[in-house]
Amino acid sequence: MEFGFAPEDEAFRGEVRAWLGAHAPAGADRRGWERTLGAAGWIGLGWTEGGYGNRTATLTQQVAWAEEYARSAAPPRSGHIGENLLAPTLIAHGSDAQKARFLPAVAAGEELWCQGYSEPGAGSDLAGVRTAAVREADGYRVTGQKIWTSLAHEADWCFVLARTEPGSRRHHGLTFLLVPMDQPGRIEVRPIRQMTGTSDFNEVFFDGAHARAEHVVGGVGDGWRVAMSLLGFERGVSTLAQQIGFAEELGRVVRDAVATGAADDPVVRARLVRLWAELRVMRWNALRTLGGQVAEPGAPSVAKLLWAGWHQRLGELAVLVRGAGASVGPADWSAAAPYELDAAQHLFLFSRADTVYGGSDQVQRTIIAERVLGLPREPKGVES
């Protein structure tokens, strides 16, 4: 799955592969691993402004890094929200003081971030947030609830979209705030248990949490513009790394199909070939949009629709080829202990959420209809 890498890029890939092979244990402490990455200069490869990152790397070299990381046995990243979402947003909209304060800590793997966007009544409808931030002499007091907050139980900071103008509606009167998570009695994090038995995301309750005035990004009331800019950074090089992981999952499903005899069924074989072909199309589409000089309207939504549905179909096929064996866990299931899942079961259950988180399929289709096809905008209900 290589793509037109020049000799110097392939040399960079070799350096990445050698370093990961020597330093990437499968079960390392995630916070400690972020510090290891930062000390070796592997965080912030794409930051070209102000010298806040570590190593400099071309776009193709960033792709090589992401792909080799996905192929290695390296632990899941805890710092990707700070590196891939907050950092580009601060580079685009932050003050010099904000960049100097936060970017070096992210690049060193010293501070972890989470994203305070979705709320119980405003999941995919981001403009409907109700979390309020009231101005005080030295900053803001934030009150409200966020949900589906990935890694909030590990994060040191949260970037929060809050309503700072009382009575404002929709995308007006919103502000992008940087809020420290270590505020006992003012911030409570409650893990949400998923079908897989794990808790990767959380509810977060703000009860008068403090945010300093100098930690407003982009200006008071300009939070919607900053938030939309951040969502544009949410996909890019990481999409290609994600597809490497998808390819490995597809390979496991193929091996299971051969081992169980399910591959002898022509319908199963046709589904496997279709998934393989669709994954190739997703890769070339990602490379095409990644290398474009101008961002294509709706491109992130198209990519989300493609991979979310693909991943769900892969999860369904993963248990289908296992037959009755897919209903048996790797360890004894009982009410007395958390249940364990094998790779196929985890894939099937976790992928059910793919078409919901990060913007549901319905929301992505609305974005494409309005911003790409120019269809009339969807009417919004009147808030009570």
Side-chain angles (χ1 to χ4, degrees), residues 62-322:
Q62 293 172 49
V63 170
W65 159 258
E67 290 185 337
E68 291 305 319
Y69 192 94
R71 287 191 180 102
S72 73
R77 291 289 308 278
S78 291
H80 67 92
I81 294 176
E83 178 184 9
N84 299 323
L85 299 185
L86 175 77
T89 303
L90 287 183
I91 291 172
H93 303 286
S95 66
D96 290 341
Q98 289 168 349
K99 296 173 190 176
R101 163 60 185 85
F102 293 108
L103 294 182
V106 172
E110 294 292 340
E111 291 183 344
L112 304 181
W113 287 78
C114 60
Q115 174 175 293
Y117 272 19
S118 296
E119 298 183 4
S124 295
D125 181 20
L126 186 58
V129 300
R130 296 178 182 272
T131 294
V134 178
R135 187 73 167 92
E136 293 187 336
D138 59 345
Y140 290 85
R141 292 290 173 187
V142 182
T143 303
Q145 179 186 357
K146 298 294 181 177
I147 198 166
W148 316 126
T149 310
S150 298
L151 304 179
H153 57 296
E154 299 180 7
D156 303 295
W157 288 80
C158 181
F159 48 89
V160 177
L161 191 63
R163 199 165 292 282
T164 49
E165 182 181 333
S168 61
R169 298 187 177 213
R170 305 303 301 165
H171 57 276
H172 301 288
L174 297 172
T175 299
F176 192 98
L177 297 165
L178 309 180
V179 182
M181 292 293 287
D182 186 15
Q183 300 191 48
R186 294 180 176 178
I187 297 180
E188 180 184 0
V189 177
R190 298 180 188 173
I192 300 173
R193 191 180 185 195
Q194 301 155 227
M195 288 192 295
T196 56
T198 58
S199 299
D200 297 317
F201 43 70
N202 312 264
E203 295 177 282
V204 181
F205 296 86
F206 298 94
D207 186 10
H210 185 253
R212 295 168 62 175
E214 60 266 33
H215 292 166
V216 171
V217 179
V220 177
D222 202 22
W224 182 256
R225 180 176 66 93
V226 178
M228 290 300 99
S229 175
L230 182 144
L231 290 177
F233 298 126
E234 194 163 7
R235 301 173 187 95
V237 169
S238 59
T239 301
L240 292 161
Q242 177 191 57
Q243 291 167 10
I244 297 295
F246 287 171
E248 294 178 352
E249 290 175 336
L250 177 57
R252 286 197 296 268
V253 174
V254 170
R255 291 190 292 273
D256 282 346
V258 172
T260 62
D264 296 333
D265 185 336
V267 175
V268 171
R269 289 202 305 272
R271 290 176 66 175
L272 288 169
V273 171
R274 183 181 180 89
L275 287 169
W276 177 86
E278 290 173 342
L279 184 58
R280 298 291 291 186
V281 170
M282 284 192 287
R283 174 173 173 78
W284 292 111
N285 181 63
L287 287 166
R288 178 185 63 83
T289 57
L290 191 63
Q293 297 299 315
V294 180
E296 297 183 21
S301 294
V302 171
K304 176 62 165 57
L305 281 173
L306 287 173
W307 73 253
W310 184 93
H311 204 220
Q312 277 193 354
R313 294 193 297 277
L314 179 67
E316 293 163 359
L317 192 57
V319 294
L320 175 66
V321 302
R322 295 275 299 280

Side-chain angles (χ1 to χ4, degrees), residues 2 15 29 41 51 64 159 167 248 286 333:
E2 306 297 334
E15 179 186 356
D29 167 66
F159 48 89
E248 294 178 352
W333 287 350

